[in-house]
Amino acid sequence: MKLASLILTITLIGASAQADYVPLANEALTVDLEIDGYVNGFMDTARLLSFRGCTLERDAAYTYALMEEAAHRDGVDLQPLECYRTYYQQKAAYERRCPYTEVPVYETDPMTHEKFKVGTKSVRVCSGPPTARAGESNHGWGRAIDFGAGERTLGCRDRAFIWLQSNAYEFGWVHPYWAKCGLKTAEPWHWEYASLDGANLIPLSNVNAKLLEVVE
């Protein structure tokens, strides 16, 4: 994928300026993209931006860049592992996690009530955390990030996770309920862009320049 660089000045004017901004939802906001005719996993490159190797929908990318900068000032390193996923990348991930497997089929003897094997059938057997089917993941809208910690996924006790819990909402990023720590479906690494209520963009100054790349 060829990239052209676009320099934007995107630095926060101060923590107090963020206090009035809250996410519009508790999970990724996608209705605006659907209304505009975009399709999950087939996002138009004109609507995508890449920040330090993490490609996202442009609004998500912009606010993520601001969030990453704020984290860096606090001495926290946000490490994105997975960002935008095309339909085909989603499909490949689902196939890896949920391959077809032959499982036995049993019937019950009506007289003895004993079960006996009558054959096999092919079903998908998933391993690890739940994986969305292709076209159903919020990664396919470019409004989700999976974060890492070194060579592993982000954990519930990692400093970056604790920082995100306290600060991500100010940038429109949320940790959806199903991914909360303590649940069977817990994914502390998975965060989504839910947009901001009361503002299209966080106020900016032109103190520092950050590199965003336009995807071509």
Side-chain angles (χ1 to χ4, degrees):
M1 185 177 293
K2 183 180 178 181
L3 300 175
S5 296
L6 173 67
I7 300 294
L8 296 179
T9 53
I10 54 170
T11 207
L12 300 173
I13 64 173
S16 60
Q18 303 167 42
D20 295 330
Y21 300 106
V22 295
L24 279 172
N26 295 320
E27 58 186 8
L29 182 73
T30 63
V31 64
D32 59 323
L33 300 177
E34 296 176 63
I35 290 174
D36 288 343
Y38 293 102
V39 178
N40 186 306
F42 295 95
M43 290 290 291
D44 190 328
T45 56
R47 189 67 186 244
L48 299 174
L49 287 174
S50 182
F51 178 71
R52 293 183 176 173
C54 178
T55 298
L56 295 166
E57 183 275 330
R58 65 188 182 199
D59 297 337
Y62 190 76
T63 53
Y64 167 65
L66 293 171
M67 184 169 70
E68 192 277 346
E69 179 182 300
H72 182 72
R73 288 200 302 271
D74 289 341
V76 174
D77 182 23
L78 297 182
Q79 303 175 26
L81 296 178
E82 295 276 354
C83 300
Y84 172 63
R85 292 180 190 154
T86 67
Y87 177 89
Y88 302 104
Q89 289 171 330
Q90 294 177 60
K91 184 177 180 180
Y94 185 77
E95 294 289 345
R96 288 194 303 270
R97 187 72 64 80
C98 302
Y100 278 108
T101 303
E102 293 294 319
V103 297
V105 177
Y106 295 92
E107 289 187 2
T108 302
D109 187 306
M111 299 296 292
T112 64
H113 301 293
E114 293 181 354
K115 289 185 177 181
F116 59 96
K117 182 178 177 180
V118 296
T120 62
K121 64 178 179 180
S122 183
V123 299
R124 288 193 181 276
V125 177
C126 300
S127 61
T131 299
R133 292 179 179 273
E136 298 179 4
S137 170
N138 285 322
H139 286 280
W141 296 111
R143 288 187 170 174
I145 297 178
D146 287 349
F147 289 101
E151 297 183 358
R152 59 176 174 79
T153 54
L154 193 66
C156 295
R157 296 184 179 182
D158 288 324
R159 186 182 179 194
F161 176 76
I162 296 170
W163 188 93
L164 286 165
Q165 280 190 309
S166 300
N167 299 279
Y169 73 95
E170 296 178 348
F171 303 90
W173 286 83
V174 298
H175 192 216
Y177 176 79
W178 60 264
K180 299 296 183 185
C181 294
L183 299 179
K184 291 183 179 179
T185 55
E187 291 190 10
W189 57 85
H190 182 88
W191 291 73
E192 300 180 348
Y193 178 65
S195 191
L196 289 166
D197 186 16
N200 291 325
L201 292 175
I202 299 173
L204 310 173
S205 71
N206 55 3
V207 177
N208 294 323
K210 290 295 181 182
L211 178 65
L212 284 168
E213 297 177 321
V214 177
V215 179
E216 291 184 343

